[in-house]
Amino acid sequence: MPTQSVSVADVTTMAQLARLDVPEEHKEQLARQFGDILAYMDVLSSIDTSTVEPLYSPVLHKAAPRPDIAVNTRQREAMLHNSPAQNSEYFTVPRIV
Amino acid sequence: MADYEAVIGLEVHVQLATASKLFCSCPNHFGSAPNSNVCEVCAGMPGALPRVNAQAVHYATLVGLATHCEINQNSVFARKNYFYPDLPSGYQISQLDLPLCEHGYLDVMVEGQSRHIGITRIHMENDAGKNIHAQHENVSYVDLNRAGTPLVEIVSEPDMRSGAEAVAYLKALHSIVTYLGVSDGNMEEGNFRCDANVSIHKKGEALGTRAELKNLNSFRNVQRAIEIEIERQKDILEDGGQVVQETRLYDAVKNTTASMRGKEEAHDYRYFPDPDLLPVGISDEQMAAWRAELPELPASRLARFTAMTGLPEADAEVLVSSRAMADFFEEAASHAEARKVANIMIGALQRALNARGCTVADTQFSPAALAELVNIVENGLISATIANDIVPDLLESGAMPEAYVKEKGLVQISDTGELEGIVDGIIAANPAEVEAFRGGKTKLMGFFVGQVMRATKGKGNPAAINSLLAQKLQ
């Protein structure tokens, strides 16, 4: 059961959602490659797993939870200076509304 | 006008009152200086690894157990992808396919009727930061203190049919999370937030298109926004129009909803399991321990308190409005008559708390003091009127009632000798009223009692005054 192929329009939508500027001339190639990846996944889908216990993660152990202890590990100044734009208190971004 | 039925579902976000954030150790604290509780994890820096907070899983599980959910002892975090400056990593860590809790319900009372409201799911996720927009500036400011705060999102089935039902469900949920102690539940501070999906349709026909309402930051606004939205949709359908699926923002000042333009592009969050996080596993032993920890919940306490006091449910609701209030009542009622304890709490105490804008836990007043207050009315030391009058002072000072009334000279005058003198004086001073009374205007008894009360500054024992007057006025 082949997956429906990926169109150039799908690539455009995905590029918009990911905020990526994909040149027109690359879209066809990307659509074909996405389609190939999905087709490969179809190989997995063809196996009947209805009687198999779900695998929650490929890693077999569970998350090691962290005890709820509050610790400030970073200075504000250090955090702010890792960003492209800031003032003394806030990260700043181009006006949103 | 056709007979429309409204269909309402709520999405409630509850901030969990943990000490640290969901995936990092930054303090989970409202009101800190901007960006002072931020690290590389909650700032979404590449390569920083999240680790789940054990207490958040514990609290979220308690919410699920208290709302009759099935708990998935294996639950999985997923990334919900979208771009907004308050979400520095470009995705929210949430749960999709395997949420922590599913298939729960709450039974709530609405206008004397019990309503069964299904809960589809409860999942864990992290909160976003806050954007601040200054006027006349070309930038927006971002504060990431809130980013990473643990939330549970509680998604109801579309089982509500009116604004009143939605609010009843919401209040039940609010009292559960505050009883459990897993959230402060402060709506103004955003601890407890609600979005509502509202549609209408003609009875017997297919469901209508829904609008999602946001910015509902009080119980009152939830009800008003839903009611106004139902009316708006009715008007559209009556005029032959069609409801558009969209997000609408409630404006409490104008009491209207308005479309949030610019956010209408179809959401495609491209969820996928978060590769940075392993599944959350809860062992059977852990589940048993958490189940055993559940306190008695408000609905069950309300039933018990109405039985103890004989009060109607609507009155007794004040007693279970918070866990502190219910504990206070329970303690006081173990040392004095429950009905009388309840009456003071519902009346004078509630008024005094409202006037101060605080809860019983914030005052000096103790359950022992309330029990003593009821008992000194009972044994005739003070009148019920004085008892109610002094509640605000007792709240303020933390004084014990008996010592307080003795010090302030508020002890009731039950001494018939002293009262007799006062009664004689009042009778002598009001000959016309005495004559009218004796002529058959027995309603004047109230006037005489009032005069004696005034002369004793409210301290006369009403029973003694009544019997003295009855005797003297014959």
Side-chain angles (χ1 to χ4, degrees):
Chain A
M1 174 184 69
T3 308
Q4 63 185 85
S5 62
V6 177
S7 68
V8 168
D10 291 333
V11 173
T12 305
T13 307
M14 281 189 278
Q16 274 167 358
L17 287 168
R19 302 284 202 274
L20 291 174
D21 188 10
V22 177
E24 273 315 306
E25 64 270 25
H26 289 171
K27 285 183 180 169
E28 196 130 352
Q29 187 194 9
L30 282 168
R32 200 167 52 245
Q33 290 176 342
F34 286 160
D36 289 348
I37 293 168
L38 290 179
Y40 186 64
M41 294 299 150
D42 284 340
V43 177
L44 298 178
S45 303
S46 66
I47 300 163
D48 178 12
T49 57
S50 57
T51 58
V52 182
E53 174 86 0
L55 182 69
Y56 299 109
S57 161
V59 186
L60 288 177
H61 53 266
K62 295 282 184 287
R66 177 178 56 78
D68 183 27
I69 298 165
V71 185
N72 256 319
T73 55
R74 300 289 172 215
Q75 295 292 316
R76 172 165 75 186
E77 199 180 35
M79 291 311 301
L80 291 175
H81 279 277
N82 259 314
S83 68
Q86 72 290 123
N87 67 12
S88 60
E89 293 182 298
Y90 293 97
F91 300 95
T92 56
V93 295
R95 190 175 174 85
I96 333 169
V97 290
Chain B
M1 190 74 137
D3 206 2
Y4 288 105
E5 181 175 62
V7 175
I8 301 156
L10 298 186
E11 290 170 14
V12 179
H13 286 91
V14 181
Q15 283 182 343
L16 300 176
T18 53
S20 63
K21 292 186 180 180
L22 183 53
F23 295 115
C24 62
S25 71
C26 288
N28 170 20
H29 184 255
F30 181 86
S32 297
N35 291 305
S36 57
N37 299 326
V38 181
C39 73
E40 60 274 24
V41 175
C42 54
M45 294 200 178
L49 283 176
R51 261 185 89 191
V52 71
N53 181 338
Q55 186 72 307
V57 178
H58 173 200
Y59 283 176
T61 306
L62 289 181
V63 177
L65 289 172
T67 52
H68 313 97
C69 284
E70 292 162 19
I71 308 297
N72 288 321
Q73 287 176 246
N74 277 301
S75 75
V76 174
F77 283 108
R79 292 186 181 180
K80 177 182 180 178
N81 299 281
Y82 66 94
F83 287 104
Y84 210 58
D86 61 10
L87 188 76
S89 56
Y91 55 85
Q92 181 186 32
I93 304 178
S94 182
Q95 299 191 295
L96 183 70
D97 288 335
L98 270 172
L100 183 66
C101 323
E102 291 178 283
H103 314 305
Y105 67 87
L106 282 182
D107 288 321
V108 298
M109 292 297 288
V110 188
E111 286 144 15
Q113 301 272 312
S114 178
R115 295 279 295 137
H116 185 83
I117 315 291
I119 290 173
T120 315
R121 54 187 280 136
I122 301 177
H123 61 255
M124 293 180 279
E125 60 188 26
N126 55 4
D127 209 342
K130 270 187 183 158
N131 296 322
I132 296 151
H133 315 291
Q135 298 244 307
H136 317 300
E137 283 185 73
N138 234 356
V139 291
S140 292
Y141 298 97
V142 183
D143 176 4
L144 295 181
N145 279 347
R146 197 180 69 173
T149 296
L151 295 174
V152 284
E153 178 175 342
I154 304 166
V155 182
S156 84
E157 292 287 314
D159 285 348
M160 289 152 276
R161 297 288 173 267
S162 68
E165 287 183 14
V167 168
Y169 163 79
L170 205 57
K171 282 187 172 168
L173 215 48
H174 184 266
S175 71
I176 284 174
V177 297
T178 52
Y179 262 62
L180 291 172
V182 303
S183 176
D184 298 332
N186 186 327
M187 289 180 93
E188 283 96 58
E189 290 182 7
N191 296 157
F192 190 88
R193 314 196 288 263
C194 171
D195 300 334
N197 287 305
V198 180
S199 72
I200 63 168
H201 64 127
K202 283 186 187 154
K203 279 188 183 154
E205 292 184 7
L207 292 181
T209 306
R210 65 167 199 259
E212 185 181 5
L213 304 182
K214 286 190 179 286
N215 201 28
L216 313 176
N217 53 11
S218 71
F219 291 123
R220 185 175 136 83
N221 285 351
V222 169
Q223 178 152 0
R224 294 203 318 163
I226 290 172
E227 284 168 357
I228 206 84
E229 177 62 18
I230 291 171
E231 289 309 310
R232 187 188 72 88
Q233 294 187 12
K234 270 185 195 170
D235 288 346
I236 291 174
L237 295 185
E238 285 298 303
D239 292 345
Q242 287 198 322
V243 176
V244 182
Q245 182 165 343
E246 62 182 355
T247 302
R248 298 181 69 84
L249 209 57
Y250 178 66
D251 182 331
V253 177
K254 294 187 201 152
N255 192 30
T256 54
T257 65
S259 182
M260 278 176 77
R261 279 173 229 287
K263 289 208 160 184
E264 296 315 318
E265 58 188 79
H267 288 301
D268 182 351
Y269 293 124
R270 294 149 294 140
Y271 281 95
F272 63 89
D274 191 315
D276 285 345
L277 285 155
L278 292 167
V280 180
I282 304 172
S283 68
D284 292 343
E285 295 75 41
Q286 192 67 81
M287 279 301 298
W290 289 348
R291 227 179 260 282
E293 204 182 279
L294 277 185
E296 188 186 12
L297 292 168
S300 144
R301 271 187 133 170
L302 181 63
R304 210 155 46 75
F305 290 176
T306 50
M308 277 167 78
T309 57
L311 288 168
E313 223 168 71
D315 291 347
E317 264 177 4
V318 170
L319 302 176
V320 295
S321 57
S322 70
R323 189 167 171 182
M325 196 78 166
D327 288 346
F328 195 96
F329 167 75
E330 197 120 39
E331 174 68 20
S334 66
H335 300 291
E337 200 188 321
R339 172 73 177 245
K340 289 178 174 154
V341 169
N343 283 339
I344 292 185
M345 286 186 72
I346 293 166
L349 179 61
Q350 186 62 25
R351 273 196 302 279
L353 292 174
N354 287 344
R356 280 172 177 66
C358 67
T359 71
V360 71
D362 305 325
T363 72
Q364 302 288 313
F365 199 45
S366 68
L370 176 55
E372 187 176 294
L373 186 64
V374 168
N375 289 331
I376 62 176
V377 175
E378 198 71 352
N379 64 28
L381 188 65
I382 56 168
S383 67
T385 312
I386 295 224
N388 283 312
D389 288 350
I390 65 172
V391 165
D393 279 353
L394 296 177
L395 238 61
E396 203 68 55
S397 64
M400 286 305 279
E402 184 163 352
Y404 177 87
V405 297
K406 284 181 173 160
E407 190 202 318
K408 298 272 174 184
L410 297 169
V411 172
Q412 185 159 261
I413 305 165
S414 299
D415 171 3
T416 17
E418 189 179 348
L419 282 177
E420 196 169 357
I422 297 167
V423 167
D424 285 343
I426 298 291
I427 288 176
N430 298 283
E433 283 77 8
V434 173
E435 200 176 316
F437 180 87
R438 288 185 174 140
K441 281 192 87 177
T442 50
K443 275 192 196 159
L444 281 167
M445 185 56 125
F447 163 78
F448 289 111
V449 173
Q451 292 295 312
V452 179
M453 273 298 185
R454 183 185 292 181
T456 60
K457 299 197 173 74
K459 294 185 288 179
N461 178 328
I465 295 169
N466 270 298
S467 97
L468 272 172
L469 280 167
Q471 193 187 317
K472 302 249 173 198
L473 285 168
Q474 259 183 7

